[in-house]
Amino acid sequence: MLNDILLRISETGYASLVRDTLWGYPIFETIHTIGIIMMFGSIALVDLRYIGFARILSAYELGERHLLRFTWVGFALIALSGLSLFTAYPVENIDNIAFKAKFVLIALAGLNMLFFNFRVASGLATIPARGSAMAVENAPDVPLAGRISVGLSLCLWTATIACGRLIAYPEIFE
Protein backbone atom coordinates (compact mmCIF):
# COMPACT_ATOMS: atom_id res chain seq x y z
CA MET A 1 0.00 0.00 0.00
CA LEU A 2 2.63 2.55 1.04
CA ASN A 3 4.95 1.52 -1.78
CA ASP A 4 2.10 1.97 -4.27
CA ILE A 5 1.53 5.52 -3.02
CA LEU A 6 5.24 6.28 -3.14
CA LEU A 7 5.51 4.84 -6.63
CA ARG A 8 2.63 7.06 -7.79
CA ILE A 9 4.39 10.07 -6.27
CA SER A 10 7.60 9.22 -8.13
CA GLU A 11 5.67 9.01 -11.41
CA THR A 12 4.18 12.51 -11.19
CA GLY A 13 5.28 15.25 -13.52
CA TYR A 14 6.57 17.24 -10.57
CA ALA A 15 8.80 14.37 -9.42
CA SER A 16 10.07 14.03 -12.97
CA LEU A 17 10.81 17.76 -13.11
CA VAL A 18 12.87 17.50 -9.91
CA ARG A 19 14.60 14.23 -10.79
CA ASP A 20 15.06 14.29 -14.57
CA THR A 21 15.78 17.87 -15.55
CA LEU A 22 19.29 19.28 -15.51
CA TRP A 23 18.61 21.94 -12.88
CA GLY A 24 15.63 20.54 -10.93
CA TYR A 25 17.41 18.63 -8.19
CA PRO A 26 20.32 21.10 -7.80
CA ILE A 27 17.94 24.04 -7.43
CA PHE A 28 15.97 22.31 -4.66
CA GLU A 29 19.21 21.15 -3.00
CA THR A 30 20.40 24.76 -2.98
CA ILE A 31 17.13 26.03 -1.51
CA HIS A 32 17.33 23.25 1.09
CA THR A 33 20.88 24.28 2.00
CA ILE A 34 19.91 27.95 2.31
CA GLY A 35 17.04 26.93 4.58
CA ILE A 36 19.38 24.82 6.73
CA ILE A 37 21.79 27.74 7.03
CA MET A 38 18.99 30.11 8.06
CA MET A 39 17.33 27.75 10.51
CA PHE A 40 20.36 26.10 12.09
CA GLY A 41 22.35 29.35 12.07
CA SER A 42 19.67 31.24 13.98
CA ILE A 43 19.10 28.36 16.41
CA ALA A 44 22.85 27.95 16.97
CA LEU A 45 23.34 31.66 17.72
CA VAL A 46 20.61 31.67 20.34
CA ASP A 47 21.66 28.32 21.81
CA LEU A 48 25.28 29.43 22.11
CA ARG A 49 24.14 32.61 23.84
CA TYR A 50 22.08 30.60 26.33
CA ILE A 51 25.13 28.42 27.01
CA GLY A 52 27.07 31.54 27.90
CA PHE A 53 28.75 33.01 24.83
CA ALA A 54 28.34 36.76 24.08
CA ARG A 55 26.86 37.53 27.48
CA ILE A 56 26.56 41.18 26.51
CA LEU A 57 23.48 40.20 24.48
CA SER A 58 20.12 39.24 25.92
CA ALA A 59 19.52 35.68 24.74
CA TYR A 60 15.76 36.04 24.96
CA GLU A 61 15.71 39.27 22.94
CA LEU A 62 18.21 37.89 20.44
CA GLY A 63 16.00 34.88 19.80
CA GLU A 64 12.51 36.28 20.16
CA ARG A 65 12.97 39.70 18.62
CA HIS A 66 15.62 39.18 15.97
CA LEU A 67 16.27 35.59 14.92
CA LEU A 68 12.97 33.76 15.32
CA ARG A 69 11.72 34.87 11.89
CA PHE A 70 14.92 33.52 10.26
CA THR A 71 14.31 30.21 12.02
CA TRP A 72 10.77 29.95 10.65
CA VAL A 73 11.66 31.12 7.13
CA GLY A 74 14.50 28.60 7.11
CA PHE A 75 12.13 25.89 8.30
CA ALA A 76 9.65 26.74 5.54
CA LEU A 77 12.38 26.58 2.89
CA ILE A 78 13.59 23.24 4.28
CA ALA A 79 10.10 21.74 4.40
CA LEU A 80 9.11 22.82 0.88
CA SER A 81 12.39 21.92 -0.77
CA GLY A 82 12.68 18.69 1.25
CA LEU A 83 9.26 17.53 0.08
CA SER A 84 10.29 18.34 -3.48
CA LEU A 85 13.52 16.37 -3.12
CA PHE A 86 11.61 13.48 -1.56
CA THR A 87 9.26 13.25 -4.56
CA ALA A 88 12.21 12.51 -6.83
CA TYR A 89 13.08 9.22 -5.07
CA PRO A 90 10.35 8.41 -2.53
CA VAL A 91 10.60 4.61 -2.68
CA GLU A 92 14.37 4.66 -2.18
CA ASN A 93 14.22 7.31 0.55
CA ILE A 94 11.58 5.61 2.68
CA ASP A 95 13.86 2.57 3.12
CA ASN A 96 16.99 4.64 3.78
CA ILE A 97 18.25 4.34 7.38
CA ALA A 98 19.72 7.85 7.29
CA PHE A 99 16.35 9.22 6.12
CA LYS A 100 14.55 7.52 9.00
CA ALA A 101 17.20 8.65 11.50
CA LYS A 102 16.88 12.23 10.24
CA PHE A 103 13.19 12.32 11.05
CA VAL A 104 13.66 10.70 14.45
CA LEU A 105 16.24 13.38 15.24
CA ILE A 106 13.90 16.13 14.01
CA ALA A 107 11.17 14.78 16.30
CA LEU A 108 13.58 14.68 19.25
CA ALA A 109 14.76 18.23 18.48
CA GLY A 110 11.11 19.34 18.36
CA LEU A 111 10.38 17.73 21.73
CA ASN A 112 13.49 19.36 23.16
CA MET A 113 12.34 22.73 21.79
CA LEU A 114 8.93 22.28 23.42
CA PHE A 115 10.60 21.40 26.73
CA PHE A 116 12.82 24.45 26.51
CA ASN A 117 10.01 26.82 25.54
CA PHE A 118 7.50 25.64 28.13
CA ARG A 119 9.76 24.68 31.05
CA VAL A 120 12.82 26.92 30.77
CA ALA A 121 12.37 29.96 28.50
CA SER A 122 9.47 31.54 30.35
CA GLY A 123 11.76 32.37 33.26
CA LEU A 124 14.56 33.58 31.03
CA ALA A 125 12.78 36.61 29.61
CA THR A 126 13.69 38.47 32.77
CA ILE A 127 17.42 37.74 32.57
CA PRO A 128 19.09 40.92 31.25
CA ALA A 129 22.22 40.99 29.17
CA ARG A 130 25.43 41.46 31.11
CA GLY A 131 26.69 45.00 30.80
CA SER A 132 23.29 46.38 29.83
CA ALA A 133 21.77 49.32 31.65
CA MET A 134 19.17 46.99 33.19
CA ALA A 135 21.66 44.28 34.20
CA VAL A 136 21.82 43.52 37.85
CA GLU A 137 25.28 42.68 39.16
CA ASN A 138 24.16 39.23 40.29
CA ALA A 139 21.70 38.46 37.50
CA PRO A 140 20.85 34.75 37.44
CA ASP A 141 22.37 32.55 34.79
CA VAL A 142 20.46 30.15 32.60
CA PRO A 143 19.56 27.14 34.76
CA LEU A 144 21.36 23.85 34.21
CA ALA A 145 18.26 22.30 32.56
CA GLY A 146 18.27 25.16 30.05
CA ARG A 147 21.97 24.81 29.27
CA ILE A 148 21.56 21.04 28.82
CA SER A 149 18.54 21.60 26.58
CA VAL A 150 20.32 24.07 24.30
CA GLY A 151 23.43 21.87 24.19
CA LEU A 152 21.20 18.96 23.22
CA SER A 153 19.57 21.20 20.60
CA LEU A 154 22.94 21.90 18.98
CA CYS A 155 23.80 18.18 18.98
CA LEU A 156 20.41 17.07 17.61
CA TRP A 157 20.36 19.62 14.78
CA THR A 158 23.97 18.85 13.85
CA ALA A 159 23.18 15.13 13.75
CA THR A 160 20.05 15.87 11.69
CA ILE A 161 22.13 17.73 9.11
CA ALA A 162 24.67 14.89 9.04
CA CYS A 163 21.92 12.30 8.48
CA GLY A 164 20.48 14.47 5.73
CA ARG A 165 23.81 14.38 3.93
CA LEU A 166 24.08 10.62 4.45
CA ILE A 167 20.77 10.04 2.64
CA ALA A 168 22.73 10.36 -0.60
CA TYR A 169 24.95 7.41 0.40
CA PRO A 170 22.65 4.49 1.28
CA GLU A 171 25.38 1.95 0.48
CA ILE A 172 27.12 2.94 3.73
CA PHE A 173 24.36 1.21 5.69
CA GLU A 174 24.08 -1.98 3.65
Side-chain angles (χ1 to χ4, degrees):
M1 170 89 172
L2 178 61
N3 276 347
D4 292 337
I5 294 169
L6 295 175
L7 191 56
R8 279 192 218 120
I9 290 171
S10 72
E11 293 171 348
T12 63
Y14 187 77
S16 179
L17 173 81
V18 174
R19 179 184 55 245
D20 300 330
T21 62
L22 179 62
W23 291 103
Y25 207 87
I27 287 171
F28 286 108
E29 273 281 327
T30 302
I31 293 169
H32 204 68
T33 301
I34 291 167
I36 290 167
I37 292 165
M38 289 179 71
M39 189 180 98
F40 180 70
S42 60
I43 289 171
L45 287 172
V46 174
D47 286 354
L48 289 170
R49 171 53 195 96
Y50 276 124
I51 288 173
F53 292 95
R55 290 181 182 252
I56 194 92
L57 302 170
S58 166
Y60 186 81
E61 273 193 39
L62 178 67
E64 292 297 317
R65 287 200 180 165
H66 302 291
L67 295 177
L68 189 59
R69 68 188 77 131
F70 288 100
T71 304
W72 285 111
V73 169
F75 178 79
L77 290 174
I78 291 168
L80 294 173
S81 61
L83 286 170
S84 296
L85 293 168
F86 177 78
T87 65
Y89 303 101
V91 175
E92 295 85 347
N93 283 334
I94 206 74
D95 291 328
N96 189 314
I97 292 170
F99 183 83
K100 292 174 185 175
K102 177 181 176 177
F103 283 93
V104 168
L105 290 165
I106 290 170
L108 291 172
L111 290 172
N112 182 58
M113 178 202 62
L114 290 172
F115 168 79
F116 184 84
N117 283 333
F118 291 109
R119 300 286 291 181
V120 178
S122 59
L124 298 179
T126 60
I127 298 177
R130 300 261 165 112
S132 71
M134 295 178 57
V136 179
E137 195 61 35
N138 296 320
D141 277 331
V142 176
L144 180 60
R147 290 195 307 269
I148 290 171
S149 180
V150 296
L152 184 60
S153 170
L154 289 169
C155 292
L156 288 169
W157 286 117
T158 300
T160 299
I161 293 168
C163 283
R165 287 302 312 134
L166 290 173
I167 291 170
Y169 307 99
E171 64 275 4
I172 292 173
F173 304 102
E174 291 177 357

